[in-house]
């Protein structure tokens, strides 16, 4: 008998987050995938199907917008009762981190979070800020997994994509969000960007960050920062990468004027290719870099931007 998997699709800024497709990809390795889509569109249903979802359960309810732990617990619980899966897979995002433990405790499930790989037997996750990895397996009947964005190859294979609307009565919301005051962040989502151009104190000013933005735009990537840069107010705190900021796993990470403090490495050392630009050849960032450029970033970054534009 095929194993049933339930994944939860996540929407940000009216678009499906890529991690929704990564969850389906992992689910397909484990069995038959049903994806829960909350307040989504027909186009999103098509996209989930095109990325391999065998079936899609849709829930439409205005009480589920914006996200609340109480509301999503009810919607996911209803989908679990309908699908009766062995696994629940979510992104290791703010929502996934918030909801997964609650569902796990309610259903007496084993929970493995922040998974970056599955070898057919055990789940690999970074520990100690990425300095070590542990491999875990489940002993429980029902299992809950969160996956770190950008670690599973998405599948472009059409699933059956059969759609079942699910009517869920959402009640007893103990808190209500009245307003979300959102910072406008243009361009690619930092957490899911395939390319991150990050700046540190060496970038020296807000104008310096405009230069990084240009390089990021040419590469279709996002700009990130060290705490040195955010503390100096060269850019917004939401761009901070590291132990007390975001954790990113892009294909390419270009560190500009960042010394490579351990707290920064905690957020980016698992990037697939790391390029460091620093004028100090002894800078610690070179210890994790695949390619190092010893030089002045104000010369190197415009040269890279021009070269990529010309390519
Ligand atoms: P610096 O260490 O000052 O390095 C600047 C670098 O720029 C230097 O290596 C210099 O050689 C280079 N440079 C200067 N000019 C140029 C130039 N023209 N061209 C090329 N290179 C140049 N930090 C984080 O990043 N993220 C975190 O989440 C985080 N969390 C923390 C949590 C705690 C509890 C603590 C105590 C610290 C945390 N920090 C964090 C801070 C961290 O310890 C470092 O202070 C910070 O990362 C340093 O930022 P930086 O590399 O930009 O600055």
């Amino acid at each position: 008998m095929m194993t049933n998997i339930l994944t939860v699709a996540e929407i940000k800024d009216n678009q499906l987050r890529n991690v929704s497709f990564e969850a389906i990809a992992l689910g397909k390795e484990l069995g038959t995938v049903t994806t829960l889509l909350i307040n989504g569109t027909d186009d999103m249903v098509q996209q989930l199907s095109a990325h391999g979802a065998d079936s899609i359960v849709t829930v439409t309810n205005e009480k589920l917008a914006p996200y609340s732990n109480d509301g999503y617990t009810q919607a996911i619980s209803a989908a679990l009762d309908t699908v009766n899966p062995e696994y629940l897979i979510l992104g290791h995002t703010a929502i996934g981190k918030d909801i997964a433990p609650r569902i796990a405790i309610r259903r007496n499930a084993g929970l493995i979070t922040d998974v970056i790989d599955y070898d057919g037997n055990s789940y690999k996750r970074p520990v100690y800020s990425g300095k070590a990895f542990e491999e875990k397996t489940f002993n429980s009947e029902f299992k809950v997994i969160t996956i770190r964005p950008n670690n599973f190859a998405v599948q472009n294979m059409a699933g059956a994509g059969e759609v079942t609307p699910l009517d869920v009565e959402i009640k007893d919301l103990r808190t209500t969000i009245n307003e979300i005051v959102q910072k406008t962040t243009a361009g690619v989502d930092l957490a899911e960007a395939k390319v991150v151009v990050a700046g540190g104190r060496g970038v020296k000013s807000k104008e310096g960050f405009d230069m990084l933005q240009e390089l990021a735009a040419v590469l279709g990537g996002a700009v990130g920062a060290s705490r040195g840069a955010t503390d100096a107010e060269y850019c917004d705190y939401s761009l901070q990468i590291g132990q007390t900021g975001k954790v990113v796993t892009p294909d390419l990470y270009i560190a500009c004027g960042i010394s490579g403090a351990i707290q920064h490495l905690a957020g980016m050392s698992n990037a697939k290719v790391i390029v460091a630009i620093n004028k100090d050849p002894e800078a610690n960032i070179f210890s994790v870099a695949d390619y190092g450029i010893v030089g002045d970033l104000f010369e190197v970054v415009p040269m890279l931007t021009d070269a990529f534009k010309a390519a």
Side-chain angles (χ1 to χ4, degrees):
M1 213 176 74
M2 270 306 252
T3 306
N4 276 345
I5 318 295
L6 182 71
T7 71
V8 179
E10 205 179 305
I11 300 169
K12 192 176 175 200
D13 297 333
N14 300 320
Q15 288 189 336
L16 281 170
R17 296 191 69 160
N18 195 54
V19 74
S20 313
F21 307 131
E22 293 184 70
I24 295 172
L26 173 59
K28 297 290 276 186
E29 289 188 46
L30 299 163
T32 307
V33 176
T34 301
T35 299
L36 170 64
L37 177 64
I38 297 174
N39 288 337
T41 62
D42 289 348
D43 181 53
M44 290 174 188
V45 168
Q46 298 297 329
Q47 288 180 50
L48 293 168
S49 173
H51 286 87
D54 297 296
S55 55
I56 295 148
V57 169
T58 57
V59 174
T60 306
N61 191 315
E62 61 181 18
K63 288 188 181 159
L64 293 170
Y67 166 83
S68 71
N69 187 299
D70 276 344
Y72 268 51
T73 299
Q74 292 173 50
I76 293 172
S77 298
L80 289 172
D81 290 341
T82 305
V83 177
N84 198 18
E86 196 174 309
Y87 293 84
L88 172 67
I89 308 176
L90 306 104
H92 195 68
T93 58
I95 289 180
K97 284 185 241 183
D98 189 47
I99 199 86
R102 186 159 180 203
I103 300 287
I105 198 79
R106 284 183 161 220
R107 305 231 161 197
N108 198 22
L111 170 65
I112 304 184
T113 58
D114 205 11
V115 169
I116 60 166
D117 197 17
Y118 172 63
D119 65 3
N121 177 42
S122 58
Y123 299 87
K124 187 173 174 183
R125 62 189 297 273
V127 288
Y128 302 116
S129 300
K131 287 196 286 298
F133 298 92
E134 62 182 20
E135 292 186 357
K136 294 182 94 166
T137 47
F138 285 103
N139 300 320
S140 60
E141 213 167 290
F142 178 53
K143 306 152 181 74
V144 179
I145 299 169
T146 65
I147 57 169
R148 184 182 286 198
N150 272 356
N151 282 279
F152 291 88
V154 302
Q155 306 199 359
N156 286 314
M157 53 174 280
E162 190 187 309
V163 183
T164 313
L166 188 64
D167 203 12
V168 187
E169 194 197 341
I170 304 295
K171 49 189 178 191
D172 303 330
L173 295 181
R174 287 171 292 185
T175 55
T176 308
I177 297 171
N178 298 327
E179 190 186 3
I180 296 178
V181 183
Q182 196 176 4
K183 292 200 173 117
T184 46
T185 45
V188 184
D189 179 7
L190 178 57
E192 293 194 331
K194 297 282 177 207
V195 177
V196 173
V197 180
R201 219 187 313 257
V203 175
K204 294 191 173 71
S205 66
K206 284 184 180 160
E207 292 69 35
F209 268 81
D210 291 342
M211 180 180 73
L212 301 192
Q213 184 64 58
E214 210 185 328
L215 176 57
V218 173
L219 294 170
V223 169
S226 71
R227 181 153 150 189
T230 55
D231 279 352
E233 298 183 359
Y234 301 158
C235 61
D236 193 81
Y237 275 104
S238 61
L239 301 189
Q240 185 178 314
I241 290 166
Q243 189 180 314
T244 43
K246 293 197 164 81
V247 175
V248 296
T249 322
D251 292 342
L252 174 63
Y253 189 91
I254 306 180
C256 310
I258 293 176
S259 59
I262 193 135
Q263 296 89 354
H264 186 76
L265 302 189
M268 46 64 74
S269 59
N270 288 318
K272 292 180 190 79
V273 175
I274 298 172
V275 176
I277 306 166
N278 199 301
K279 65 181 183 185
D280 174 7
E282 302 295 325
N284 191 46
I285 192 76
F286 290 125
S287 68
V288 296
D290 299 285
Y291 301 94
I293 303 173
V294 178
D296 184 344
L297 69 93
F298 295 97
E299 290 172 19
V300 177
V301 172
M303 279 164 63
L304 287 178
T305 306
D306 288 346
F308 284 121
K309 268 186 191 160

